[in-house]
Amino acid sequence: MRWFLTYIFGVLALSGFSQNVYNKVRRNMCDERAVNELYTVDSCYNKAHYKDSALFYKSLINLKIGRCQSARRSARVLEKLYPDFKELHYLNGLILFYEEDYGKSVEAFNLAIKDDPANIKVYYNRSVALGLMDEYMAAIEDLNTCIRLNPDYALARYSRAYWHEFTGNYADAVKDYEDVIRLDPKN
C-alpha cells in the first residue's frame, strides 16, 4: 500500500513552470512519450537554450520514467553550473522522495520553502513525504498551507482528507472529500 501511495503522490508531484519551450515537455511527461522528450531537452541543453531549465526537466523526466540515478546526475550538474537555480532544492527533494529517503526529502523541501515560502508544490510534496513517514498532523498542516495559498486546490483537499482518515478524524475527511467533489465534480 505504501508503495502505491508513493507512486501516486510522486506522479502527482511532477509539475512545474518554465519558459515556453518547455510547455510541450511538461504536457508529455504524463504519458508514454516522456522518453522522447529527453531528446527535446537534450537538444535545448546542447544548443545552450535555457540550460538550467533543460537540466531541471531532464531530471524530472528521468524521475518519471524511473531513472533516479540519471535524475540525480542531471541535478548534480545543475547544482554545479547553477547553484542559485530557484527550483534546485525542490528537485533534490523530489529525487530523494523517489529514492524513498523521506527524511532527507523533507529536509530538501524545507530548504526550498525557505527560498520560496509561497511555492505550493513544495508544501504539497513535503506533506506527502511527511504522511509517508506517519507524521500525519504535520502533513495536514502543509496541506492547510496549500489551501490557504490556493483555496481551490482540490488535490490538496483530497490529500488532506486522506491523512485525516489516518488520524481517525473522519468528519473532517468527509468534509474535505465533499469540497473536492464541489471543486472538481469529475473527481
Side-chain angles (χ1 to χ4, degrees):
M1 178 69 160
R2 187 172 292 256
W3 178 89
F4 178 73
L5 287 175
T6 302
Y7 176 77
I8 293 299
F9 283 124
V11 168
L12 295 173
L14 289 176
S15 64
F17 303 95
S18 73
Q19 297 82 8
N20 287 338
V21 71
Y22 296 103
N23 286 341
K24 178 176 171 264
V25 172
R26 187 179 332 115
R27 280 192 310 272
N28 290 336
M29 282 176 49
C30 296
D31 62 28
E32 67 277 356
R33 295 176 290 184
V35 175
N36 293 332
E37 293 307 328
L38 282 172
Y39 297 112
T40 302
V41 171
D42 283 336
S43 172
C44 290
Y45 181 80
N46 292 333
K47 293 177 183 174
H49 184 73
Y50 297 110
K51 286 180 109 169
D52 52 352
S53 292
L55 289 165
F56 176 75
Y57 278 101
K58 185 173 185 173
S59 290
L60 288 180
I61 292 167
N62 276 308
L63 282 177
K64 169 70 178 155
I65 58 178
R67 297 178 183 169
C68 287
Q69 297 278 352
S70 295
R72 171 67 60 205
R73 279 192 298 274
S74 295
R76 284 187 183 132
V77 173
L78 176 62
E79 188 168 16
K80 182 179 177 184
L81 296 177
Y82 305 97
D84 295 327
F85 185 72
K86 184 178 179 181
E87 302 269 351
L88 184 60
H89 295 302
Y90 171 67
L91 176 61
N92 285 329
L94 287 176
I95 292 168
L96 290 162
F97 179 88
Y98 271 80
E99 292 171 346
E100 298 182 13
D101 191 342
Y102 305 123
K104 286 186 180 177
S105 176
V106 168
E107 290 173 16
F109 290 140
N110 289 341
L111 293 171
I113 288 171
K114 186 176 177 184
D115 291 343
D116 185 4
N119 190 331
I120 199 167
K121 297 180 304 183
V122 179
Y123 286 104
Y124 180 81
N125 287 291
R126 185 174 73 173
S127 77
V128 175
L130 288 166
L132 291 172
M133 293 176 5
D134 299 331
E135 295 183 28
Y136 307 124
M137 295 311 293
I140 290 169
E141 279 307 309
D142 275 354
L143 293 166
N144 289 340
T145 301
C146 289
I147 294 165
R148 275 194 301 276
L149 291 170
N150 179 1
D152 295 332
Y153 192 9
L155 182 60
R157 290 180 189 276
Y158 177 84
S159 297
R160 186 172 70 176
Y162 188 78
W163 297 132
H164 275 309
E165 285 186 69
F166 273 81
T167 66
N169 186 348
Y170 301 112
D172 283 346
V174 168
K175 182 183 177 319
D176 277 338
Y177 285 131
E178 288 171 347
D179 286 344
V180 169
I181 293 168
R182 179 182 51 78
L183 291 168
D184 183 11
K186 295 181 181 180
N187 194 316

Short mmCIF file of all heavy atoms in Angstrom, two decimals, residues 31 34-35 38 60-67:
data_model
loop_
_atom_site.label_atom_id
_atom_site.label_comp_id
_atom_site.label_asym_id
_atom_site.label_seq_id
_atom_site.Cartn_x
_atom_site.Cartn_y
_atom_site.Cartn_z
N ASP A 31 2.70 10.98 -20.11
CA ASP A 31 2.33 9.82 -20.92
C ASP A 31 3.58 9.09 -21.41
O ASP A 31 4.70 9.43 -21.03
CB ASP A 31 1.39 10.22 -22.07
CG ASP A 31 2.03 11.19 -23.04
OD1 ASP A 31 3.26 11.18 -23.19
OD2 ASP A 31 1.28 11.97 -23.66
N ALA A 34 7.23 10.40 -22.69
CA ALA A 34 8.21 11.05 -21.83
C ALA A 34 9.65 10.77 -22.26
O ALA A 34 10.49 11.67 -22.26
CB ALA A 34 8.02 10.62 -20.38
N VAL A 35 9.93 9.55 -22.65
CA VAL A 35 11.29 9.21 -23.07
C VAL A 35 11.69 10.05 -24.28
O VAL A 35 12.82 10.56 -24.35
CB VAL A 35 11.40 7.70 -23.40
CG1 VAL A 35 12.78 7.37 -23.94
CG2 VAL A 35 11.11 6.87 -22.16
N LEU A 38 13.11 13.51 -23.66
CA LEU A 38 14.52 13.65 -23.28
C LEU A 38 15.33 14.19 -24.45
O LEU A 38 16.26 14.98 -24.26
CB LEU A 38 15.10 12.31 -22.81
CG LEU A 38 14.73 11.89 -21.40
CD1 LEU A 38 15.21 10.48 -21.13
CD2 LEU A 38 15.28 12.85 -20.37
N LEU A 60 13.46 15.74 -14.07
CA LEU A 60 12.06 15.39 -13.85
C LEU A 60 11.61 14.25 -14.75
O LEU A 60 10.92 13.32 -14.31
CB LEU A 60 11.15 16.61 -14.07
CG LEU A 60 11.19 17.71 -13.03
CD1 LEU A 60 10.23 18.82 -13.42
CD2 LEU A 60 10.88 17.19 -11.65
N ILE A 61 12.01 14.30 -16.01
CA ILE A 61 11.63 13.24 -16.94
C ILE A 61 12.25 11.92 -16.51
O ILE A 61 11.59 10.87 -16.53
CB ILE A 61 12.02 13.60 -18.38
CG1 ILE A 61 11.18 14.79 -18.87
CG2 ILE A 61 11.82 12.40 -19.31
CD1 ILE A 61 11.70 15.42 -20.15
N ASN A 62 13.50 11.96 -16.12
CA ASN A 62 14.15 10.73 -15.66
C ASN A 62 13.45 10.17 -14.44
O ASN A 62 13.31 8.95 -14.31
CB ASN A 62 15.64 10.97 -15.40
CG ASN A 62 16.45 10.86 -16.67
OD1 ASN A 62 16.35 9.88 -17.40
ND2 ASN A 62 17.24 11.88 -16.96
N LEU A 63 12.98 11.03 -13.54
CA LEU A 63 12.21 10.54 -12.40
C LEU A 63 10.92 9.88 -12.88
O LEU A 63 10.53 8.82 -12.38
CB LEU A 63 11.87 11.69 -11.45
CG LEU A 63 12.97 12.16 -10.53
CD1 LEU A 63 12.49 13.35 -9.71
CD2 LEU A 63 13.46 11.05 -9.63
N LYS A 64 10.27 10.51 -13.83
CA LYS A 64 9.01 10.00 -14.36
C LYS A 64 9.15 8.58 -14.92
O LYS A 64 8.27 7.75 -14.76
CB LYS A 64 8.49 10.96 -15.44
CG LYS A 64 7.34 10.46 -16.25
CD LYS A 64 6.07 10.37 -15.45
CE LYS A 64 4.93 9.91 -16.36
NZ LYS A 64 3.88 9.28 -15.63
N ILE A 65 10.28 8.33 -15.57
CA ILE A 65 10.46 7.01 -16.18
C ILE A 65 11.29 6.07 -15.30
O ILE A 65 11.73 5.03 -15.75
CB ILE A 65 11.07 7.13 -17.60
CG1 ILE A 65 12.41 7.85 -17.59
CG2 ILE A 65 10.08 7.83 -18.53
CD1 ILE A 65 13.07 7.95 -18.96
N GLY A 66 11.48 6.48 -14.04
CA GLY A 66 12.10 5.59 -13.06
C GLY A 66 13.61 5.53 -13.09
O GLY A 66 14.20 4.56 -12.61
N ARG A 67 14.25 6.52 -13.63
CA ARG A 67 15.71 6.56 -13.69
C ARG A 67 16.26 7.55 -12.65
O ARG A 67 16.71 8.64 -12.98
CB ARG A 67 16.18 6.97 -15.08
CG ARG A 67 15.78 6.00 -16.17
CD ARG A 67 16.25 6.52 -17.51
NE ARG A 67 15.83 5.65 -18.60
CZ ARG A 67 15.92 5.99 -19.87
NH1 ARG A 67 16.42 7.16 -20.23
NH2 ARG A 67 15.51 5.16 -20.81
#
